[in-house]
Amino acid sequence: MEEIRAVITGTLHQFKKHAGDEVEKGEVLAEIESMKMLIPVEAPNTGKIVEWSVTEGEFVNENDMIGMLD
């Protein structure tokens, strides 16, 4: 299992993929709003999203774990 981490400090704006979805390395999984911009969070590897550990609208710090990939 591999952690999915926030790439910047901000608010988790929207999930583009859901738990159980199969994803490819580099695919956009979520967006974090920071400084009025939407910053993509990409899949670190190919796999399946096991869970999200935060909810949309939640504040996250750079490098916080936001989910798990198997």
Side-chain angles (χ1 to χ4, degrees):
M1 298 244 271
E2 186 169 3
E3 295 176 347
I4 302 168
R5 296 197 166 268
V7 295
I8 194 167
T9 297
T11 302
L12 197 295
H13 177 71
Q14 181 181 30
F15 291 114
K16 298 292 190 179
K17 299 291 179 180
H18 303 284
D21 288 353
E22 296 282 340
V23 297
E24 297 291 324
K25 182 178 181 175
E27 192 171 350
V28 175
L29 306 179
E31 293 176 327
I32 296 174
E33 184 177 352
S34 182
M35 300 177 285
K36 299 185 180 183
M37 297 185 307
L38 294 177
I39 311 300
V41 177
E42 297 179 351
N45 281 305
T46 297
K48 182 184 201 179
I49 298 172
V50 177
E51 67 177 356
W52 291 115
S53 54
V54 297
T55 58
E56 290 180 353
E58 191 172 335
F59 182 82
V60 295
N61 288 304
E62 183 176 359
N63 211 31
D64 279 357
M65 185 185 80
I66 62 170
M68 294 294 295
L69 186 67
D70 189 18

